[in-house]
């Protein structure tokens, strides 16, 4: 049975008394009482002018996916302090995950016989830590901490050319498992708008001419249109900045 911490007394105690008085059976075995939602450290209220709706967040240019991540990353027993800075951090975190998955996909598609590092192997052997954290009173903070620690280690292995295709595929399979819980991956293939494609082409030309200032300016224009550009040794890659 779920509810806010302010419902423990008398609301939930009244529910127990009424239900068990009628049925003679135990009403609920497990209770999950969540802490309050705060906005900039204060209780959200129209009178304080800090009352936001989902359309308000979307109007700021954020996506439903980014809002969902911002809300799920904090343990349910801890007050969630909603801030625009927190929304920015959620966008950056999802960007890190998207970039990590793209890098793993690139490695997975290559044919090689390199052995994975013992470090990468060890992390795969310990992948149960994500599930164990969630088993501990839905400790999402610890679960996400393990995810980003794994991202750092696998990125390091890729940078050092110590990740083989089989290991990359194993990590992608692991991700599919945990994403059944998080449900934060962009799965919809999105066609690149003509305007974005043209800006990307101009940026590629600017980089070939070592015009870094223009390259950065074009990156900002692409970002303003809701797309992110990533530079790889195989050229620049475009991807939606988020998905609703």
């Amino acid at each position: 049975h779920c509810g806010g911490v302010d419902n423990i007394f008398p609301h939930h105690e009244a529910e127990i008394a009424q239900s068990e008085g009628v049925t003679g059976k135990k009403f609920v075995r497990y209770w999950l009482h969540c802490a309050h939602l705060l906005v900039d450290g204060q209780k959200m209220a129209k009178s304080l002018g800090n009352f936001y709706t989902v359309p308000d967040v979307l109007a700021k240019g954020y996506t439903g996916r980014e809002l969902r991540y911002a809300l799920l990353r904090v343990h349910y027993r801890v007050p969630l302090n909603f801030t625009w800075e927190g929304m920015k951090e959620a966008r950056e975190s999802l960007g890190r995950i998207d970039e990590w998955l793209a890098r793993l996909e690139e490695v997975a598609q290559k044919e090689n016989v390199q052995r994975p590092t013992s470090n990468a192997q060890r992390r795969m052997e310990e992948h149960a830590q994500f599930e164990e954290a969630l088993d501990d009173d839905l400790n999402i903070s610890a679960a996400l901490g393990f995810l980003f620690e794994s991202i750092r280690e696998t990125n390091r292995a890729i940078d050092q050319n110590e990740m083989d295709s089989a290991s990359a595929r194993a990590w992608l399979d692991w991700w599919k498992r945990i994403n059944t819980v998080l449900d934060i991956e962009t799965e919809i293939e999105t066609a690149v708008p003509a305007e974005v494609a043209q800006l990307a082409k101009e940026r590629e030309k600017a980089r070939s001419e070592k015009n870094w200032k223009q390259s950065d300016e074009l990156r900002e224009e692409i970002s303003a249109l809701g797309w992110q550009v990533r530079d790889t040794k195989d050229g620049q890659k475009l991807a939606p900045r988020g998905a609703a």
Side-chain angles (χ1 to χ4, degrees):
H1 199 65
C2 302
V5 290
D6 53 330
N7 288 328
I8 296 175
F9 178 84
H11 184 68
H12 285 163
E13 291 195 4
E15 280 190 278
I16 295 171
Q18 294 167 358
S19 299
E20 295 188 359
V22 170
T23 65
K25 299 178 181 179
K26 189 173 183 65
F27 176 46
V28 173
R29 292 182 61 194
Y30 300 100
W31 294 82
L32 281 77
H33 293 105
C34 63
H36 289 140
L37 170 65
L38 305 176
V39 176
D40 294 323
Q42 295 180 299
K43 183 177 179 181
M44 185 167 67
K46 288 184 178 179
S47 60
L48 296 176
N50 64 352
F51 186 88
Y52 300 123
T53 64
V54 172
D56 292 334
V57 177
L58 299 180
K60 284 277 190 178
Y62 290 101
T63 64
R65 177 184 181 229
E66 290 164 341
L67 175 58
R68 186 172 185 278
Y69 182 86
L71 297 176
L72 72 78
R73 64 180 177 165
V74 177
H75 193 278
Y76 75 93
R77 290 188 188 273
V78 178
L80 172 61
N81 186 28
F82 178 89
T83 65
W84 294 116
E85 181 62 28
M87 287 299 302
K88 180 181 177 184
E89 292 171 1
R91 171 173 288 174
E92 291 171 351
S93 295
L94 288 172
R96 285 185 62 195
I97 293 173
D98 292 343
E99 182 175 358
W100 174 63
L101 293 173
R103 297 191 77 193
L104 286 175
E105 289 284 1
E106 288 179 13
V107 176
Q109 292 171 11
K110 295 178 180 178
E111 292 298 328
N112 57 60
V113 293
Q114 284 181 283
R115 303 290 297 176
T117 61
S118 59
N119 213 29
Q121 289 175 323
R122 177 176 63 80
R123 299 309 294 175
M124 284 304 297
E125 291 165 0
E126 295 176 358
H127 70 275
Q129 288 186 29
F130 184 90
E131 289 89 342
E132 290 169 0
L134 292 181
D135 286 343
D136 181 18
D137 195 24
L138 296 179
N139 192 344
I140 186 64
S141 303
L144 290 175
F146 175 71
L147 169 62
F148 282 102
E149 184 181 348
S150 299
I151 288 175
R152 282 192 296 272
E153 292 198 7
T154 49
N155 274 335
R156 190 179 303 118
I158 293 173
D159 290 339
Q160 297 172 354
N161 200 27
E162 295 176 336
M163 173 78 69
D164 67 1
S165 56
S167 295
R169 285 192 293 270
W171 276 107
L172 288 169
D173 289 341
W174 177 74
W175 166 255
K176 289 177 183 177
R177 285 180 53 203
I178 66 171
N179 193 52
T180 60
V181 175
L182 301 176
D183 194 22
I184 56 175
E185 183 180 355
T186 304
E187 297 181 345
I188 302 174
E189 287 292 331
T190 307
V192 179
E195 184 179 1
V196 174
Q198 179 60 35
L199 289 171
K201 185 176 180 181
E202 293 174 13
R203 182 175 180 273
E204 196 168 31
K205 182 175 183 294
R207 288 180 61 80
S208 67
E209 297 172 350
K210 301 190 184 306
N211 189 340
W212 310 123
K213 183 175 183 296
Q214 184 183 13
S215 172
D216 291 340
E217 290 172 351
L218 288 166
R219 179 194 287 274
E220 290 301 319
E221 289 186 50
I222 292 170
S223 178
L225 293 172
W227 286 73
Q228 60 185 0
V229 59
R230 184 169 60 89
D231 297 311
T232 73
K233 63 181 181 181
D234 299 319
Q236 60 183 7
K237 306 288 186 181
L238 287 168
R241 198 176 58 201

